[in-house]
Amino acid sequence: MDIYVILKQTFDTEEKIIVEDGTISEDGVQYVINPYDEYAVEEAIQKREELGGNVYVIAVGPERTSEALRTALAMGADEAVLISDERIGSDENTISKVLAAYFEGQKVDFILGGYFSVDNGAGQVAIRLAQLLDIPHVGSITKLDISNDKALADRDAEGDLEQVEVTLPAVFNAQQGLNEPRYPSLPGIMKAKRKPLQQLTLDDLDIEESELIPKTARKDLFLPPQKEAGQILKGETAEQVKELVEKLQHDAKVL
Amino acid sequence: MSRTILVVAEHRGGALRQVTYESLHAATLSSTENDQLHVAVIGHSLDNLTESLSSINAEKIYLIDHPDLQQYNPEAYLTAVIQVIDASNPDGIILGHTAIGRDLAPMISAKIDAGQISDVTNIENIDEQVVYTRPIYAGKAFEKKVFQSTPWVVTIRPNNIAGADSSGDKAEMEHIEYAKPASLRTVIKDVVQNTSGKVDLSEAKIVVSGGRGVKSADGFKPLQELADVLGGAVGASRGACDADYCDYSLQIGQTGKVVTPEIYIACGISGAIQHVAGMSQSKIIVAINKDPEAPIFKIADYGIVGDLFEVVPLLTEEFKKVLG
């Protein structure tokens, strides 16, 4: 099986966001594999262990993304590819077209990605990619079974569960609960250093310049107003509860 | 010049979902005076919707009614939406950022080569330009975005944009026959309805949420009772999910769901940054925690320092009394 993972490197979710000169400061920030993509990497490795084959991890992003790819290799992926080029930008349409250009001509059994990235959170790229490659996708999966040229996946739909069967090749987006991602082992980290990590630019891909023109643009970036600490209620618990209910009835229209 | 904006409606149990009224309002906010508003309604047994649809403020409603569209199937729905797009020829398309919308919208965008702005929480017109606000880093920051080309696609987050009033004249209805594809690569084998939570977490007006302090799966029972009395939904922190006290589908935070209810009641939740990102935009935050130093109190409007297993049942009783 040729199993692919599309991966993004993101801020650790415990990071605070600091805006400087209209952009988000990257000073001293800890980076991780986007948590949803980590489930995708784990699932890909488990499926290779079950079915045989190779796991390829593909990322579009700045040079630092190679750290995240090394981590995926240390977890057990076989090969990694980083497509890094300043002309790419952050528009989801462009990124999906760059990925589609990469996948053109690759033999693919299935592609795993995260449900969304915890930074931008748009949740577009993997689904757009499936459309561009003209293959089916299942979004937000919590279970995946592969047999021959078919896959059976559980899709989490706002708490409801859909059992979806698709023919391969297909794209699957990992939701929480799909698996427990492993930590890279020490031998895994050592091995990862020798595994192939190929770096590509747009010049290596067959893509028109016109595809790179972003269809959306950011006009402004701001932090939400800081919520001020309110009131800690005092007195006996029963009195506090009574006071709280009165306050909520006064403040909130829904009650 | 008049443009057309198409809203893809969502419906459940014979009624339009609230997010569809919000999408209709979003369409008005995205348009100028002479623009046309169209609505796509896809599904089966749509006759039930006649009453809701008759009050919509739109120029035209396209309906595609077919047994194969009873359940959401990405490929089947895409086929149907593209049929409506071919008939309506819209400049912009608006959907809810819901289980269906967030799946379907990027398919549409790729298919018609459109830019997309996802998960929009506010729409303004600044200097003749429509500007869309959306959270990034799960609400730790916000960005304002604009489109640089047409067609465009927007998904809006439920509960953030006011719903359109339903006082419209009768819109023109047009039925389109579903162009059933010869074969689909996607088959929905089964749908298991979630029976535990009655109110959808992302649309709930009141959320009662539990953290590690809930201590066990059973510990969520008093929270569920409170949520039931308030007509709300139960959520959880990552700590509670990781400890297997509840299902990941309840998780609120930067990983998990982002919620913006009227009232958020955090029980036994310390208030880690990653959780706060998912709930800090709630209108009123109540924190119940044994530890007076818990960071959650820094963002709470009202705090009770105490044992949640004592406080929550008392709160349920008190609400029962005052709400009748």
Side-chain angles (χ1 to χ4, degrees), chain B residues 253-296:
Chain B
Q254 196 170 358
T255 43
K257 294 191 170 70
V258 174
V259 296
T260 49
E262 299 277 337
I263 304 177
Y264 188 89
I265 305 176
C267 310
I269 290 178
S270 65
I273 288 177
Q274 100 95 23
H275 180 73
V276 169
M279 48 64 80
S280 63
Q281 301 302 306
S282 305
K283 295 207 179 62
I284 301 172
I285 297 171
V286 176
I288 300 164
N289 202 301
K290 273 202 279 201
D291 175 9
E293 302 297 320
I296 191 80

Coordinates of all heavy atoms in Angstrom, one line a residue, chain B residues 253-296:
Chain B
G253 N -12.2 23.2 23.1 CA -10.8 23.7 23.2 C -10.2 23.9 21.9 O -10.9 23.8 20.8
Q254 N -8.9 24.2 21.8 CA -8.3 24.4 20.6 C -8.3 23.1 19.7 O -8.4 23.2 18.5 CB -6.9 25.0 20.8 CG -6.3 25.6 19.5 CD -5.0 26.3 19.7 OE1 -4.5 26.4 20.8 NE2 -4.4 26.8 18.6
T255 N -8.1 22.0 20.4 CA -8.4 20.7 19.8 C -9.8 20.4 20.3 O -10.0 20.5 21.5 CB -7.5 19.6 20.1 OG1 -7.2 19.7 21.5 CG2 -6.2 19.7 19.4
G256 N -10.8 20.1 19.5 CA -12.1 19.9 19.9 C -13.0 21.0 19.4 O -12.7 21.6 18.4
K257 N -14.1 21.3 20.0 CA -15.1 22.3 19.5 C -14.8 23.6 20.2 O -14.4 23.8 21.3 CB -16.5 21.8 19.9 CG -16.9 20.6 19.1 CD -18.4 20.3 19.2 CE -18.8 19.2 18.3 NZ -18.3 17.9 18.7
V258 N -15.2 24.7 19.4 CA -15.2 26.0 20.0 C -16.7 26.4 20.2 O -17.5 26.2 19.3 CB -14.6 27.0 19.0 CG1 -14.7 28.4 19.5 CG2 -13.1 26.7 18.9
V259 N -17.1 26.8 21.4 CA -18.5 27.1 21.6 C -18.6 28.6 22.1 O -17.7 29.1 22.7 CB -19.1 26.2 22.7 CG1 -19.1 24.8 22.2 CG2 -18.3 26.3 24.0
T260 N -19.7 29.2 21.8 CA -20.0 30.6 22.2 C -21.4 30.7 22.7 O -22.2 31.4 22.2 CB -19.8 31.5 21.0 OG1 -20.5 31.0 19.9 CG2 -18.4 31.7 20.6
P261 N -21.7 30.0 23.8 CA -23.1 30.0 24.3 C -23.4 31.3 25.1 O -22.5 32.1 25.4 CB -23.1 28.8 25.2 CG -21.8 28.6 25.7 CD -20.9 29.1 24.6
E262 N -24.6 31.5 25.5 CA -25.0 32.6 26.4 C -24.4 32.4 27.7 O -23.9 33.3 28.4 CB -26.5 32.7 26.5 CG -27.3 32.9 25.2 CD -27.3 34.4 24.8 OE1 -27.2 35.2 25.7 OE2 -27.4 34.7 23.6
I263 N -24.5 31.1 28.2 CA -23.9 30.9 29.5 C -23.0 29.6 29.5 O -23.4 28.6 28.9 CB -25.0 30.6 30.6 CG1 -26.0 31.8 30.7 CG2 -24.4 30.3 32.0 CD1 -27.2 31.5 31.6
Y264 N -21.8 29.7 30.0 CA -20.9 28.6 30.0 C -20.6 28.3 31.5 O -20.1 29.2 32.2 CB -19.6 28.9 29.3 CG -18.7 27.7 29.1 CD1 -18.8 26.9 28.0 CD2 -17.7 27.5 30.0 CE1 -18.0 25.8 27.8 CE2 -16.9 26.4 29.9 CZ -17.0 25.6 28.8 OH -16.1 24.5 28.6
I265 N -20.9 27.1 32.0 CA -20.7 26.8 33.4 C -19.6 25.7 33.4 O -19.7 24.6 33.0 CB -22.0 26.2 34.0 CG1 -23.1 27.2 33.9 CG2 -21.7 25.9 35.5 CD1 -24.5 26.8 34.4
A266 N -18.4 26.2 33.9 CA -17.2 25.3 33.9 C -17.1 24.7 35.3 O -16.9 25.3 36.3 CB -16.0 26.1 33.6
C267 N -17.2 23.3 35.3 CA -17.2 22.6 36.6 C -15.9 21.8 36.7 O -15.7 20.9 35.9 CB -18.4 21.7 36.7 SG -20.0 22.5 36.3
G268 N -15.1 22.1 37.7 CA -13.9 21.3 37.9 C -12.9 21.4 36.7 O -12.2 20.5 36.4
I269 N -12.9 22.6 36.1 CA -12.0 22.9 35.0 C -11.0 23.9 35.4 O -11.4 25.0 35.9 CB -12.8 23.4 33.8 CG1 -13.6 22.2 33.2 CG2 -11.8 23.9 32.7 CD1 -14.5 22.6 32.0
S270 N -9.7 23.6 35.3 CA -8.7 24.5 35.8 C -8.6 25.8 34.9 O -8.4 26.9 35.4 CB -7.3 23.8 35.9 OG -6.9 23.5 34.6
G271 N -8.7 25.6 33.6 CA -8.7 26.7 32.7 C -7.4 26.8 31.9 O -6.8 27.9 31.8
A272 N -6.9 25.7 31.4 CA -5.7 25.7 30.6 C -5.9 26.5 29.3 O -7.1 26.6 28.8 CB -5.3 24.3 30.2
I273 N -4.9 27.1 28.8 CA -5.0 28.0 27.6 C -5.7 27.3 26.5 O -6.6 27.9 25.8 CB -3.6 28.4 27.1 CG1 -3.0 29.4 28.1 CG2 -3.6 29.0 25.7 CD1 -1.5 29.8 27.7
Q274 N -5.4 26.0 26.3 CA -6.0 25.3 25.2 C -7.5 25.1 25.3 O -8.2 25.1 24.4 CB -5.2 24.0 24.9 CG -5.8 22.8 25.4 CD -6.6 22.1 24.3 OE1 -6.4 22.3 23.2 NE2 -7.5 21.3 24.8
H275 N -8.0 25.0 26.6 CA -9.4 24.9 26.8 C -10.1 26.3 26.7 O -11.1 26.4 26.0 CB -9.7 24.4 28.2 CG -11.2 24.3 28.5 ND1 -12.0 23.3 27.9 CD2 -12.0 25.0 29.3 CE1 -13.2 23.5 28.3 NE2 -13.3 24.5 29.1
V276 N -9.4 27.3 27.3 CA -10.0 28.7 27.3 C -10.2 29.1 25.8 O -11.2 29.8 25.5 CB -9.1 29.6 28.1 CG1 -9.5 31.1 27.8 CG2 -9.1 29.3 29.5
A277 N -9.3 28.8 24.9 CA -9.5 29.2 23.5 C -10.8 28.7 23.0 O -11.4 29.4 22.1 CB -8.4 28.5 22.7
G278 N -11.4 27.6 23.5 CA -12.6 27.1 22.9 C -13.9 27.6 23.6 O -15.0 27.3 23.1
M279 N -13.7 28.4 24.7 CA -14.9 28.9 25.3 C -14.9 30.3 25.8 O -15.9 30.8 26.3 CB -15.3 28.0 26.5 CG -14.2 27.6 27.5 SD -13.5 28.9 28.4 CE -14.7 29.1 29.7
S280 N -13.8 31.0 25.6 CA -13.7 32.4 26.2 C -14.6 33.4 25.6 O -14.8 34.5 26.2 CB -12.2 32.8 26.1 OG -11.9 33.0 24.8
Q281 N -15.1 33.1 24.4 CA -16.1 34.1 23.8 C -17.5 33.8 24.2 O -18.4 34.5 23.7 CB -16.0 34.0 22.3 CG -14.6 34.3 21.8 CD -14.1 35.7 22.2 OE1 -14.7 36.7 22.0 NE2 -12.9 35.7 22.8
S282 N -17.7 33.0 25.2 CA -19.1 32.8 25.7 C -19.5 34.1 26.4 O -18.7 34.8 26.9 CB -19.1 31.6 26.8 OG -18.5 30.5 26.2
K283 N -20.8 34.3 26.4 CA -21.3 35.6 26.9 C -21.1 35.7 28.4 O -20.6 36.7 28.9 CB -22.7 35.9 26.5 CG -22.8 36.0 25.0 CD -23.9 36.9 24.4 CE -23.8 36.9 22.9 NZ -24.0 35.6 22.3
I284 N -21.5 34.7 29.1 CA -21.3 34.7 30.6 C -20.6 33.4 31.0 O -21.1 32.3 30.6 CB -22.7 34.8 31.3 CG1 -23.4 36.1 30.9 CG2 -22.5 34.7 32.8 CD1 -24.9 36.1 31.5
I285 N -19.6 33.6 31.7 CA -18.8 32.4 32.2 C -19.0 32.2 33.7 O -18.7 33.2 34.4 CB -17.3 32.5 31.8 CG1 -17.2 32.5 30.2 CG2 -16.6 31.3 32.3 CD1 -15.8 32.8 29.7
V286 N -19.4 31.0 34.1 CA -19.4 30.7 35.5 C -18.4 29.6 35.8 O -18.3 28.6 35.0 CB -20.9 30.1 35.9 CG1 -20.9 29.7 37.3 CG2 -21.9 31.2 35.6
A287 N -17.6 29.8 36.8 CA -16.6 28.8 37.2 C -16.9 28.2 38.6 O -17.2 28.9 39.5 CB -15.2 29.3 37.2
I288 N -16.9 26.9 38.6 CA -17.0 26.2 39.9 C -15.8 25.3 40.1 O -15.5 24.4 39.3 CB -18.3 25.3 39.9 CG1 -19.6 26.2 39.7 CG2 -18.4 24.6 41.3 CD1 -20.8 25.4 39.3
N289 N -15.0 25.6 41.1 CA -13.7 24.9 41.3 C -13.3 25.0 42.7 O -13.5 26.0 43.4 CB -12.7 25.5 40.4 CG -11.5 24.5 40.1 OD1 -10.9 24.0 41.0 ND2 -11.3 24.2 38.8
K290 N -12.7 23.8 43.2 CA -12.3 23.8 44.6 C -11.1 24.7 44.8 O -10.9 25.2 45.9 CB -11.9 22.3 44.9 CG -13.0 21.5 45.4 CD -12.5 20.3 46.2 CE -12.1 19.2 45.3 NZ -12.0 17.9 45.9
D291 N -10.3 24.8 43.8 CA -9.0 25.6 43.9 C -9.2 27.1 43.6 O -9.5 27.5 42.5 CB -8.0 25.0 42.9 CG -6.7 25.8 42.9 OD1 -6.5 26.7 43.8 OD2 -5.9 25.5 42.0
P292 N -9.1 27.9 44.7 CA -9.4 29.4 44.4 C -8.3 30.0 43.5 O -8.6 31.1 42.9 CB -9.3 30.0 45.8 CG -8.6 29.0 46.7 CD -8.8 27.6 46.1
E293 N -7.2 29.3 43.3 CA -6.2 29.9 42.4 C -6.3 29.4 41.0 O -5.5 29.8 40.1 CB -4.8 29.4 42.9 CG -4.4 29.8 44.3 CD -4.4 31.3 44.5 OE1 -3.9 32.0 43.6 OE2 -4.9 31.8 45.5
A294 N -7.3 28.6 40.7 CA -7.5 28.1 39.3 C -7.6 29.2 38.3 O -8.4 30.2 38.5 CB -8.7 27.2 39.2
P295 N -6.8 29.2 37.2 CA -6.9 30.2 36.2 C -8.3 30.5 35.6 O -8.5 31.6 35.2 CB -5.9 29.8 35.1 CG -5.2 28.6 35.6 CD -5.9 28.1 36.9
I296 N -9.1 29.6 35.7 CA -10.5 29.7 35.1 C -11.2 30.9 35.8 O -12.0 31.6 35.1 CB -11.3 28.4 35.3 CG1 -12.6 28.5 34.4 CG2 -11.7 28.1 36.7 CD1 -12.5 28.2 33.0

